[in-house]
Amino acid sequence: MKPDAIDRALSRVLHYRVVVIVLYALLVPAAALLAMRIPTEEGIERLIVPSDPDVRATRAFHATFPEPQLALLVFESPDPWAPQSLERVDRAKAALSQIPRVTAFTALDALRRAHPGADPATLRDLATRTRFFRSQGLAGDNFMTVIANFDVHGAAERDATLAAIDKALARADAGPVHKIGSPYINAWLEHAAGSSATRSFAIVAVLLVTIVLFLFRSMRALAAIVLALGSTVALALGAGALLGYAFTIVSALVPLTVMVTTLATLTYLHSRYVDQPDDAPLAEHHVYALRSKLLPVTASTIAAATGFAALAVSKIQPIRQMGIWTALGLLISWVVAYTLFPALQRVLKTPTARRIPTRTAVYDRVAHALPTLTYRHRKTFLVAALAFCVAGALAITGLPGVIRSLPVATDVLDNINSSSAVARDTRWFRANVMDLNVARVWIHLPRATATEPEVLRAIDRFQTSLEAVPGVTGVTGPTTPLRMRSYLAGRGEALPRDAAGFATAAQDVEQLMLTESDLRAFIDAGGLADLQLTILFREGHAAGYAALIRHVATAWAATVAASPALVGASMHVVGEALLDAKVGESLVPTLAESFVLTVVVILAVFLVVFRSGTERLLAMIPSLFALLVTFLGLRLFGGTLNVATIIIATTVLGTTENDQMHFFHHLHERPGASLEVRLHHTLRVAGRAIVFATVINAIGFLGLATSSFPPLRQFGLMTSSAFVLALIADFLVLPAALWIASGERPTSAGQESPTSQAPARQQAPLPSPRAAEPRPTT
């Protein structure tokens, strides 16, 4: 048969193989250099898309009131006011104060400033007669806290400061300390995510060498696959660098996802390449092998890339970037698979099965028995699969009044290894001190009147209203330093309510702002038109935050109505805690929207590739079965939806549809033959590659199971399980469904297929997978 344009294009790639390799030799190092410059971003505001109104408001707030990085160093003691306990805290505070960019503060500082020379008993009395120190986590019945304020920028400075704090505490002989706060949590998360990706890459590299050598038994084949794979990952990362992307907790999965998916594609191509018939010259066979896989590889790549791109609907910035980045990487992998990889096969002279047989004896025996087995148990396999799918769907959505929906991880401790020191310290702090949920209330005035007595009196009433909100454990604001000054002077904590008395109490606010940094944290000294209050509260999830915002809005409306000084002022609830809550709130919509879009995209691809409407629906069975049963397992083992497991739907559907594409493509290579013959042919030609690719995918993602980062560990275990489940469905459930849909019976069952005629049956003993197919010439 005369070669067409596609055959000629493939032949040219092989003919100009040296030129192709040289071009990649120039591109890949440049891409690798770009990849090395990809930054790492850890800020919580970077988890939400920049266009989100709360992100914009929080960034504007930070321009006026930067949220400090605070580390709480809590010293536990049966009697925190005993002389030896106070001495221990003083030593620690003095050591911390010597660290550059660190300011240390304790409750003792405020007490001793008001009462110099006071003895421990007096200090205890002053601290325990007010709720302030307890509500702020500064002192309690069995603890004293040193607050370290970091003036650092970026993860490197933060980590260096944390290390300096550890050394300072050791020099001060401070003893056991509970280390609390976002600097410790963020440092742990970034280290865990980064080390997990590195460890997974190392595991995949070892497994890659082992699997390729075991399956193909050739160092040349290993070299071709490794070089093509490394080039794909480098080019994908370089493309991400050009787009301005950064590594985050989620997008760190991009290199692994691209690598494992590309490796599966290369396995499909090489499995077809090594299957060289005795009567086919290698040059002709090579073009044929590439051409025969062009449609399923192209269709599956487009479906997978579009499926990952569907994650762009997410409001979570790293998930959105991860989807687009991975989609771009998959398109790059297609180009590499049909240019660099065949060029490497030809230059390296990778052997086919005629020279080095692949290890397929066990598989061949199993595959030979599958058509009869799946026919015999077709109803059992299909009904069981559908039942598991229904159970998996209920595990996700729940059943009103009977089963709760799959829980969403909104607590930061859900993302931290429970045995880590930071998790233990945070749990202790929550149980013995308070929750660390923080909301910032930003008030912008129409004029520079922030220090005027009537404005401060209205803000003080607003603060009092907020303190009465259920679930609020403490509120600090512009009048808090005035309240503390009044209390420590023996006049009580409450400020005067009448205008004249309040004006007297607040008459020196502007002078205090020059000396008191605490006051400048609540009033913008530059413009005197912005103020902020800090709320500590218990319920830090999305619903709790929404309830708090409603209470704040109600209190603000009442305050403004009674305070002419606040006419024209605006109020916004902002801060990193709000953004954190929005991340959790966005997880379920991300799962639902990306799942629906991915299914629609894959069905659209199937609509183009497959002519039969029945086949389009049947082709979805293995992927849906794998996905839903995986979520059933997640529910049964107590897992949750989080920033990593939320992308499983797209990952599983976008990757496993590869198998169905190849399965049905080769099923159509025997037109007119009985289903039994077509199944034998498909299992012979595509089945081995499906098994090889699944093993590679499953083991590759299983490398994440070694992670100390719970979301990545869950993602690795779930994704690996899904790949194995999809393989089971490919070989058992899908053929069973095809038997039922066709109404045929295998000849081994005693009857001929009613739709098969004698000529088609005579094709059953096929000498090679290409016996009835035309071959292109080169």
Side-chain angles (χ1 to χ4, degrees):
M1 182 178 179
K2 186 177 180 179
D4 59 12
I6 295 176
D7 294 328
R8 289 193 296 271
L10 295 173
S11 297
R12 288 194 185 98
V13 169
L14 296 174
H15 179 73
Y16 294 106
R17 53 191 176 273
V18 175
V19 176
V20 171
I21 292 175
V22 170
L23 287 175
Y24 276 96
L26 296 174
L27 287 173
V28 170
L33 288 176
L34 288 173
M36 293 172 62
R37 298 176 183 175
I38 297 176
T40 298
E41 295 183 347
E42 73 281 354
I44 186 66
E45 71 274 6
R46 293 180 175 88
L47 292 179
I48 306 292
V49 293
S51 60
D52 185 271
D54 290 320
V55 171
R56 293 201 301 266
T58 297
R59 287 183 176 175
F61 171 76
H62 285 166
T64 304
F65 297 106
E67 289 194 66
Q69 293 201 52
L70 299 178
L72 279 62
L73 306 170
V74 185
F75 295 83
E76 190 177 6
S77 171
D79 183 4
W81 301 100
Q84 62 272 25
S85 299
L86 297 180
E87 182 183 355
R88 176 188 176 201
V89 172
D90 287 336
R91 287 199 313 270
K93 192 248 181 178
L96 294 174
S97 298
Q98 297 177 7
I99 301 174
R101 300 187 298 273
V102 173
T103 303
F105 172 82
T106 69
L108 298 174
D109 295 329
L111 297 173
R112 286 168 174 165
R113 188 165 53 208
H115 294 270
D119 58 27
T122 302
L123 295 175
R124 181 203 301 269
D125 182 62
L126 286 170
T128 55
R129 282 193 292 109
T130 175
R131 290 185 61 254
F132 175 77
F133 297 105
R134 184 67 174 82
S135 66
Q136 297 300 309
L138 292 171
D141 296 336
N142 64 339
F143 70 90
M144 183 79 69
T145 301
V146 177
I147 296 181
N149 188 342
F150 294 9
D151 182 19
V152 297
H153 304 281
E157 287 188 7
R158 179 206 60 208
D159 292 344
T161 302
L162 291 177
I165 287 176
D166 289 340
K167 293 178 181 178
L169 292 175
R171 287 196 306 270
D173 191 24
V177 181
H178 296 289
K179 301 172 183 178
I180 317 296
S182 60
Y184 288 103
I185 290 174
N186 290 336
W188 189 94
L189 290 173
E190 291 164 29
H191 174 74
S195 62
S196 298
T198 303
R199 189 185 304 115
S200 298
F201 262 83
I203 292 173
V204 170
V206 172
L207 293 174
L208 166 64
V209 173
T210 303
I211 293 171
V212 171
L213 287 179
F214 175 80
L215 296 177
F216 301 119
R217 305 166 68 185
S218 168
M219 290 297 295
R220 295 172 185 266
L222 175 64
I225 291 174
V226 168
L227 289 173
L229 198 59
S231 299
T232 301
V233 174
L235 291 170
L237 293 180
L242 291 176
L243 291 174
Y245 289 168
F247 284 130
T248 62
I249 291 174
V250 177
S251 58
L253 290 171
V254 170
L256 180 64
T257 304
V258 171
M259 182 172 65
V260 172
T261 307
T262 304
L263 184 54
T265 298
L266 299 181
T267 302
Y268 279 116
L269 291 175
H270 198 68
S271 296
R272 192 63 157 157
Y273 167 80
V274 300
D275 199 12
Q276 179 188 5
D278 294 335
D279 59 345
L282 181 59
E284 175 188 336
H285 168 72
H286 200 171
V287 174
Y288 170 79
L290 293 171
R291 175 63 184 270
S292 68
K293 286 294 184 181
L294 181 61
L295 176 61
V297 167
T298 302
S300 60
T301 299
I302 292 174
T306 312
F308 275 104
L311 290 172
V313 302
S314 176
K315 294 181 179 179
I316 304 175
Q317 177 80 345
I319 291 179
R320 172 182 288 193
Q321 286 190 359
M322 187 264 186
I324 298 173
W325 199 349
T326 303
L328 183 60
L330 293 179
L331 296 178
I332 291 173
S333 74
W334 182 92
V335 176
V336 172
Y338 272 91
T339 54
L340 178 61
F341 185 57
L344 288 170
Q345 287 177 309
R346 183 61 64 89
V347 168
L348 295 174
K349 299 179 180 179
T350 54
T352 66
R354 283 169 53 175
R355 286 177 52 195
I356 302 178
T358 55
R359 302 177 188 272
T360 61
V362 175
Y363 169 81
D364 290 341
R365 288 196 295 271
V366 173
H368 181 74
L370 280 176
T372 303
L373 175 68
T374 54
Y375 172 77
R376 185 179 300 126
H377 301 287
R378 59 194 182 281
K379 294 181 180 178
T380 301
F381 289 153
L382 188 58
V383 170
L386 293 176
F388 276 112
C389 287
V390 171
L394 291 176
I396 299 173
T397 63
L399 194 62
V402 181
I403 304 173
R404 292 188 303 110
S405 60
L406 189 63
V408 177
T410 56
D411 189 342
V412 67
L413 289 184
D414 293 330
N415 298 328
I416 298 178
N417 193 326
S418 59
S419 62
S420 64
V422 65
R424 292 196 304 270
D425 286 344
T426 303
R427 285 196 302 269
W428 179 90
F429 190 80
R430 289 179 176 181
N432 294 275
V433 184
M434 64 180 188
D435 284 336
L436 272 179
N437 304 308
V438 181
R440 310 284 181 177
V441 179
W442 178 22
I443 299 170
H444 180 71
L445 304 172
R447 296 172 298 279
T449 56
T451 56
E452 291 187 2
E454 279 305 294
V455 172
L456 290 175
R457 189 161 74 103
I459 298 300
D460 189 65
R461 289 199 301 272
F462 181 47
Q463 179 175 334
T464 302
S465 299
L466 295 178
E467 290 170 340
V469 171
V472 170
T473 58
V475 182
T476 53
T479 60
T480 298
L482 302 179
R483 291 183 179 189
M484 281 295 96
R485 184 175 66 172
S486 175
Y487 168 74
L488 294 173
R491 294 191 297 270
E493 191 172 345
L495 295 174
R497 294 186 178 183
D498 62 288
F502 192 95
T504 301
Q507 63 184 348
D508 59 344
V509 166
E510 292 189 4
Q511 287 76 19
L512 286 174
M513 288 181 63
L514 299 176
T515 58
E516 299 293 334
S517 59
D518 292 345
L519 190 55
R520 293 195 298 273
F522 297 108
I523 301 176
D524 176 31
L528 297 181
D530 293 279
L531 310 96
Q532 72 109 349
L533 295 89
T534 299
I535 303 176
L536 302 177
F537 63 106
R538 292 192 180 92
E539 303 296 332
H541 48 73
Y545 216 107
L548 176 69
I549 290 175
R550 290 194 297 270
H551 285 298
V552 172
T554 300
W556 174 251
T559 303
V560 170
S563 307
L566 293 181
V567 172
S570 62
M571 184 276 297
H572 301 279
V573 180
V574 295
E576 294 191 352
L578 170 62
L579 302 184
D580 199 6
K582 293 199 73 169
V583 170
E585 188 180 24
S586 300
L587 290 178
V588 172
T590 294
L591 174 64
E593 293 168 2
S594 63
F595 175 79
V596 171
L597 285 175
T598 304
V599 170
V600 170
V601 167
I602 292 175
L603 281 175
V605 173
F606 287 170
L607 183 66
V608 175
V609 176
F610 305 140
R611 299 189 186 96
S612 168
T614 301
E615 287 182 352
R616 295 167 193 156
L617 296 177
L618 295 182
M620 292 297 298
I621 290 178
S623 295
L624 290 176
F625 170 79
L627 179 64
L628 293 174
V629 174
T630 298
F631 275 109
L632 175 62
L634 178 69
R635 180 63 181 270
L636 293 176
F637 287 100
T640 58
L641 291 177
N642 53 50
V643 290
T645 57
I646 203 69
I647 62 176
I648 283 178
T650 296
T651 303
V652 171
L653 290 176
T655 305
T656 57
E657 52 78 28
N658 228 353
D659 301 340
Q660 289 90 63
M661 203 75 69
H662 288 272
F663 189 99
F664 277 96
H665 174 72
H666 293 291
L667 195 69
H668 292 155
E669 287 182 338
R670 290 291 182 264
S674 67
L675 179 60
E676 181 181 18
V677 171
R678 289 186 291 140
L679 283 175
H680 276 297
H681 170 72
T682 301
L683 293 171
R684 159 78 173 80
V685 175
R688 287 180 298 187
I690 290 174
V691 172
F692 297 166
T694 299
V695 170
I696 290 170
N697 283 340
I699 295 180
F701 279 98
L702 191 61
L704 292 172
T706 63
S707 172
S708 59
F709 185 38
L712 287 186
R713 184 167 62 238
Q714 288 184 7
F715 178 81
L717 290 171
M718 289 181 64
T719 308
S720 298
S721 301
F723 289 146
V724 174
L725 289 167
L727 177 65
I728 294 173
D730 283 334
F731 284 3
L732 296 180
V733 182
L734 185 54
L738 287 170
W739 282 120
I740 293 175
S742 69
E744 296 185 31
R745 299 183 63 179
T747 55
S748 56
Q751 294 185 15
E752 298 178 357
S753 169
T755 63
S756 300
Q757 304 301 322
R761 290 197 303 271
Q762 290 170 2
Q763 296 178 9
L766 298 171
S768 79
R770 291 163 42 190
E773 300 170 40
R775 297 176 186 161
T777 58
T778 56

